[in-house]
Amino acid sequence: MNVIEIFGSIDGEGSRQGLLTTFLRLHDCNIRCSYCDTTYSYGIDSTFTDMTVREVADAIESLGNHRITITGGEPLLQEAAVLELIDELNRRKSAKLEDKLCVDKQSTNVSEDAQDVLDSESPYDFNIETNGTIIPSFHRENVWFTYDYKTPSSLAEESMNLDIFKVSREQDLIKFVVGSVEDLDCMRHMINQYPTKAQIYVSPVWGKIEAAAIIDYLKEHNLQNVRFQLQIHKFVWDPDAKGV
C-alpha cells in the first residue's frame, strides 16, 4: 500500500465527529479539487511509504482505536489492498477475542477478566472516505462509505459518478462541501433529483462562505434532512496541520 500517513486523533466530521479514530491516508487522487486541503497526498511532490498490508495492519493495531477511517487522496484507487487490509484486521480481531475469551464451561458464565476483554475489544468500524468518482465493488458488515460530492466551485463536478446516490445505504454519507450559493443550489438540486438512502451532510469550504449563510439556506429551503457540520479539527489545531 502507498501510505501518506497513519495517525490517531478524533474524527473531525461526519457521524463519528469527536470520537477517537485512527486515520489511514493513502497516496494519490484521480481528480484535482480547487479547495483540496490534502494536496500533499498526490502529485509529483508527494512523498509516501510503500508498506505491506501486514505492516499497515500492525500500525493500526498499535494505535488501539476500533474506529478506522481510510481516506486519501482517493483510497479506492487501491481498492484491492484496502479490502485485504479490512479482512486482515477483522480476522485479527476475531482471533484475539477467541484466544482471550475465558468461559466457565460448567456455568457458561463469562469471567470478569473475559468480560474486560470483550469490553476493550470492540469490533472494528471502518469508514472509507471517497471522492464520489468510484463506486466500490465490495461491502462488509462493518464498512460504510462517505461519498464527497464535488460542487461547482471544486471545478471537478464533471467527474462525479451519479450512481453514488443509488448505491448508498442508510449507514453511508453523502457530503457536500460548499463555498457559494451556487454550490448550495447544486446540493439542493442533486438531492431532489436523485433520492437516496444515504445521510446528507453539508459543510463550508474553509474561509469561503459563512457558516450562518449555509444554515440560513437550509431554513429558507426547508431542507429538513440535511445535516450541517463544521470540521472541528480545524478549530482544535492549525487548519493546515497534518496528522491531526
Side-chain angles (χ1 to χ4, degrees):
M1 306 186 79
N2 296 332
V3 176
I4 295 291
E5 55 188 349
I6 304 173
F7 61 94
S9 185
I10 57 163
D11 206 327
E13 55 188 318
S15 58
R16 301 189 308 200
Q17 189 177 71
L19 293 172
L20 289 173
T21 303
T22 290
F23 289 84
L24 166 63
R25 187 178 306 283
L26 298 177
H27 173 260
D28 211 2
C29 191
N30 57 331
I31 58 175
R32 299 291 183 266
C33 297
S34 64
Y35 52 66
C36 180
D37 58 3
T38 54
T39 54
Y40 61 93
S41 66
Y42 59 81
I44 58 174
D45 295 326
S46 177
T47 58
F48 61 88
T49 303
D50 185 3
M51 302 175 67
T52 66
V53 167
R54 183 176 293 274
E55 289 171 336
V56 175
D58 289 345
I60 288 174
E61 275 193 322
S62 71
L63 291 170
N65 299 315
H66 67 268
R67 298 179 184 89
I68 312 297
T69 292
I70 303 175
T71 186
E74 174 45 60
L76 291 181
L77 293 176
Q78 301 183 53
E79 185 184 68
V82 166
L83 180 55
E84 185 181 348
L85 173 67
I86 289 168
D87 287 344
E88 171 68 11
L89 285 168
N90 282 337
R91 182 194 63 76
R92 292 186 184 192
K93 183 72 76 171
S94 295
K96 188 178 294 187
L97 282 172
E98 276 186 34
D99 289 343
K100 292 184 177 180
L101 183 59
C102 302
V103 179
D104 186 320
K105 293 182 180 179
Q106 292 184 347
S107 65
T108 67
N109 291 327
V110 179
S111 69
E112 289 185 9
D113 288 343
Q115 188 60 55
D116 289 342
V117 171
L118 286 173
D119 292 342
S120 64
E121 292 294 342
S122 299
Y124 282 115
D125 176 63
F126 295 96
N127 172 26
I128 299 179
E129 291 190 340
T130 176
N131 63 21
T133 67
I134 300 173
I135 301 300
S137 65
F138 71 92
H139 289 291
R140 291 292 185 271
E141 186 176 344
N142 60 340
V143 175
W144 49 282
F145 296 88
T146 298
Y147 299 97
D148 192 347
Y149 187 89
K150 305 303 181 185
T151 52
S153 70
S154 72
L155 306 181
E157 187 183 10
E158 71 281 356
S159 299
M160 293 298 95
N161 189 326
L162 297 182
D163 283 345
I164 63 174
F165 294 93
K166 181 167 57 178
V167 304
S168 293
R169 304 156 299 164
E170 292 178 358
Q171 61 265 48
D172 298 328
L173 277 60
I174 296 178
K175 178 179 69 174
F176 293 84
V177 180
V178 299
S180 65
V181 173
E182 181 188 11
D183 288 351
L184 286 163
D185 287 340
C186 169
M187 175 191 71
R188 181 164 57 92
H189 169 75
M190 296 308 298
I191 61 179
N192 286 336
Q193 185 170 355
Y194 300 97
T196 180
K197 295 179 180 179
Q199 304 167 56
I200 304 296
Y201 280 67
V202 61
S203 57
V205 178
W206 185 262
K208 292 296 183 181
I209 187 172
E210 291 295 329
I214 299 175
I215 296 170
D216 287 343
Y217 188 95
L218 299 182
K219 290 163 60 178
E220 178 185 355
H221 296 280
N222 194 32
L223 299 179
Q224 294 286 326
N225 296 317
V226 178
R227 178 173 293 185
F228 172 79
Q229 67 172 354
L230 293 171
Q231 295 175 297
I232 60 173
H233 54 285
K234 292 189 175 181
F235 293 89
V236 178
W237 296 282
D238 185 292
D240 297 321
K242 300 178 183 178
V244 296

PDB file of all heavy atoms in Angstrom, residues 108-120:
ATOM      1  N   THR A 108     -21.207 -21.619  32.020  1.00  0.00           N
ATOM      2  CA  THR A 108     -21.245 -20.829  30.783  1.00  0.00           C
ATOM      3  C   THR A 108     -21.285 -19.327  31.051  1.00  0.00           C
ATOM      4  O   THR A 108     -21.696 -18.548  30.202  1.00  0.00           O
ATOM      5  CB  THR A 108     -22.438 -21.213  29.871  1.00  0.00           C
ATOM      6  OG1 THR A 108     -23.653 -20.831  30.508  1.00  0.00           O
ATOM      7  CG2 THR A 108     -22.431 -22.693  29.555  1.00  0.00           C
ATOM      8  N   ASN A 109     -20.865 -18.935  32.271  1.00  0.00           N
ATOM      9  CA  ASN A 109     -20.764 -17.509  32.577  1.00  0.00           C
ATOM     10  C   ASN A 109     -19.415 -16.974  32.128  1.00  0.00           C
ATOM     11  O   ASN A 109     -18.397 -17.661  32.253  1.00  0.00           O
ATOM     12  CB  ASN A 109     -20.933 -17.259  34.077  1.00  0.00           C
ATOM     13  CG  ASN A 109     -22.353 -17.525  34.539  1.00  0.00           C
ATOM     14  OD1 ASN A 109     -23.301 -17.297  33.784  1.00  0.00           O
ATOM     15  ND2 ASN A 109     -22.500 -18.002  35.769  1.00  0.00           N
ATOM     16  N   VAL A 110     -19.396 -15.761  31.669  1.00  0.00           N
ATOM     17  CA  VAL A 110     -18.150 -15.132  31.258  1.00  0.00           C
ATOM     18  C   VAL A 110     -17.439 -14.601  32.497  1.00  0.00           C
ATOM     19  O   VAL A 110     -18.033 -13.899  33.321  1.00  0.00           O
ATOM     20  CB  VAL A 110     -18.408 -13.981  30.268  1.00  0.00           C
ATOM     21  CG1 VAL A 110     -17.093 -13.312  29.869  1.00  0.00           C
ATOM     22  CG2 VAL A 110     -19.137 -14.499  29.033  1.00  0.00           C
ATOM     23  N   SER A 111     -16.163 -14.936  32.652  1.00  0.00           N
ATOM     24  CA  SER A 111     -15.413 -14.463  33.798  1.00  0.00           C
ATOM     25  C   SER A 111     -15.222 -12.955  33.727  1.00  0.00           C
ATOM     26  O   SER A 111     -15.380 -12.339  32.674  1.00  0.00           O
ATOM     27  CB  SER A 111     -14.053 -15.140  33.858  1.00  0.00           C
ATOM     28  OG  SER A 111     -13.244 -14.679  32.785  1.00  0.00           O
ATOM     29  N   GLU A 112     -14.855 -12.345  34.878  1.00  0.00           N
ATOM     30  CA  GLU A 112     -14.643 -10.895  34.896  1.00  0.00           C
ATOM     31  C   GLU A 112     -13.520 -10.500  33.960  1.00  0.00           C
ATOM     32  O   GLU A 112     -13.603  -9.494  33.253  1.00  0.00           O
ATOM     33  CB  GLU A 112     -14.344 -10.433  36.329  1.00  0.00           C
ATOM     34  CG  GLU A 112     -15.538 -10.501  37.259  1.00  0.00           C
ATOM     35  CD  GLU A 112     -15.220  -9.916  38.620  1.00  0.00           C
ATOM     36  OE1 GLU A 112     -14.129  -9.325  38.761  1.00  0.00           O
ATOM     37  OE2 GLU A 112     -16.045 -10.026  39.529  1.00  0.00           O
ATOM     38  N   ASP A 113     -12.424 -11.279  33.950  1.00  0.00           N
ATOM     39  CA  ASP A 113     -11.310 -10.975  33.054  1.00  0.00           C
ATOM     40  C   ASP A 113     -11.752 -11.046  31.602  1.00  0.00           C
ATOM     41  O   ASP A 113     -11.376 -10.208  30.774  1.00  0.00           O
ATOM     42  CB  ASP A 113     -10.146 -11.950  33.296  1.00  0.00           C
ATOM     43  CG  ASP A 113      -9.444 -11.685  34.614  1.00  0.00           C
ATOM     44  OD1 ASP A 113      -9.638 -10.587  35.172  1.00  0.00           O
ATOM     45  OD2 ASP A 113      -8.709 -12.580  35.075  1.00  0.00           O
ATOM     46  N   ALA A 114     -12.549 -12.078  31.286  1.00  0.00           N
ATOM     47  CA  ALA A 114     -13.016 -12.220  29.905  1.00  0.00           C
ATOM     48  C   ALA A 114     -13.940 -11.076  29.521  1.00  0.00           C
ATOM     49  O   ALA A 114     -13.898 -10.585  28.392  1.00  0.00           O
ATOM     50  CB  ALA A 114     -13.724 -13.561  29.725  1.00  0.00           C
ATOM     51  N   GLN A 115     -14.771 -10.623  30.471  1.00  0.00           N
ATOM     52  CA  GLN A 115     -15.667  -9.513  30.178  1.00  0.00           C
ATOM     53  C   GLN A 115     -14.879  -8.237  29.916  1.00  0.00           C
ATOM     54  O   GLN A 115     -15.240  -7.433  29.048  1.00  0.00           O
ATOM     55  CB  GLN A 115     -16.640  -9.281  31.333  1.00  0.00           C
ATOM     56  CG  GLN A 115     -17.730  -8.255  30.999  1.00  0.00           C
ATOM     57  CD  GLN A 115     -18.580  -8.685  29.825  1.00  0.00           C
ATOM     58  OE1 GLN A 115     -19.156  -9.766  29.815  1.00  0.00           O
ATOM     59  NE2 GLN A 115     -18.643  -7.833  28.801  1.00  0.00           N
ATOM     60  N   ASP A 116     -13.766  -8.049  30.647  1.00  0.00           N
ATOM     61  CA  ASP A 116     -12.898  -6.898  30.400  1.00  0.00           C
ATOM     62  C   ASP A 116     -12.364  -6.933  28.974  1.00  0.00           C
ATOM     63  O   ASP A 116     -12.252  -5.902  28.302  1.00  0.00           O
ATOM     64  CB  ASP A 116     -11.732  -6.873  31.392  1.00  0.00           C
ATOM     65  CG  ASP A 116     -12.190  -6.504  32.799  1.00  0.00           C
ATOM     66  OD1 ASP A 116     -13.296  -5.946  32.930  1.00  0.00           O
ATOM     67  OD2 ASP A 116     -11.441  -6.779  33.755  1.00  0.00           O
ATOM     68  N   VAL A 117     -12.001  -8.139  28.514  1.00  0.00           N
ATOM     69  CA  VAL A 117     -11.510  -8.294  27.148  1.00  0.00           C
ATOM     70  C   VAL A 117     -12.600  -7.930  26.148  1.00  0.00           C
ATOM     71  O   VAL A 117     -12.379  -7.195  25.183  1.00  0.00           O
ATOM     72  CB  VAL A 117     -11.008  -9.737  26.896  1.00  0.00           C
ATOM     73  CG1 VAL A 117     -10.713  -9.953  25.412  1.00  0.00           C
ATOM     74  CG2 VAL A 117      -9.770 -10.010  27.726  1.00  0.00           C
ATOM     75  N   LEU A 118     -13.801  -8.431  26.391  1.00  0.00           N
ATOM     76  CA  LEU A 118     -14.905  -8.125  25.489  1.00  0.00           C
ATOM     77  C   LEU A 118     -15.166  -6.620  25.423  1.00  0.00           C
ATOM     78  O   LEU A 118     -15.399  -6.060  24.359  1.00  0.00           O
ATOM     79  CB  LEU A 118     -16.169  -8.852  25.949  1.00  0.00           C
ATOM     80  CG  LEU A 118     -16.233 -10.363  25.690  1.00  0.00           C
ATOM     81  CD1 LEU A 118     -17.470 -10.942  26.356  1.00  0.00           C
ATOM     82  CD2 LEU A 118     -16.236 -10.670  24.217  1.00  0.00           C
ATOM     83  N   ASP A 119     -15.122  -5.976  26.580  1.00  0.00           N
ATOM     84  CA  ASP A 119     -15.387  -4.543  26.630  1.00  0.00           C
ATOM     85  C   ASP A 119     -14.319  -3.735  25.894  1.00  0.00           C
ATOM     86  O   ASP A 119     -14.603  -2.685  25.320  1.00  0.00           O
ATOM     87  CB  ASP A 119     -15.475  -4.070  28.084  1.00  0.00           C
ATOM     88  CG  ASP A 119     -16.713  -4.626  28.786  1.00  0.00           C
ATOM     89  OD1 ASP A 119     -17.641  -5.068  28.077  1.00  0.00           O
ATOM     90  OD2 ASP A 119     -16.735  -4.629  30.031  1.00  0.00           O
ATOM     91  N   SER A 120     -13.072  -4.203  25.931  1.00  0.00           N
ATOM     92  CA  SER A 120     -11.973  -3.443  25.333  1.00  0.00           C
ATOM     93  C   SER A 120     -11.724  -3.813  23.876  1.00  0.00           C
ATOM     94  O   SER A 120     -10.997  -3.119  23.180  1.00  0.00           O
ATOM     95  CB  SER A 120     -10.678  -3.662  26.131  1.00  0.00           C
ATOM     96  OG  SER A 120     -10.278  -5.027  26.048  1.00  0.00           O
TER      97      SER A 120
END
